[in-house]
Amino acid sequence: MALAVIRTPSLEPWKPLQKKPLPAGRPREWYVTHNRRLKAMRLAIALLDAGVYVPSKATNAAIRSTAHHIGIHPPSDTTCRMVRAMIRHGR
């Protein structure tokens, strides 16, 4: 027999998770790639929230204007390709 559980939303405001320092001792390229992935993820989420569900609609100009809109530095061409890949594989 199935039991339905109804959760009531919390009245407390949302709190972001505390950031942890990145592990020390890795090559510089690892940190660059890690930060690039985080930036691409933030941009992909913002584009999906804006209604861009198809990678062909996520042009470099659209991605860069979204970055400007959410207040992060304009992404490189490599980061734009990552954003399109994240949108493509998120289906």
Side-chain angles (χ1 to χ4, degrees), residues 5-6 14-15 18 23 32 39 44 49 57 59 67 82 89:
V5 177
I6 299 173
W14 179 79
K15 296 178 187 172
Q18 286 190 342
V32 171
K39 186 178 200 174
D49 287 345
K57 298 283 186 184
T59 62
M82 272 186 167
H89 293 294

Side-chain angles (χ1 to χ4, degrees), residues 21-62:
L22 293 175
R26 307 254 177 151
R28 176 176 168 71
E29 189 59 34
W30 184 90
Y31 297 104
V32 171
T33 304
H34 175 76
N35 289 330
R36 186 181 306 252
R37 284 182 186 144
L38 291 178
K39 186 178 200 174
M41 194 180 325
R42 283 193 298 269
L43 287 167
I45 290 168
L47 285 166
L48 290 170
D49 287 345
V52 178
Y53 301 113
V54 181
S56 61
K57 298 283 186 184
T59 62
N60 286 357

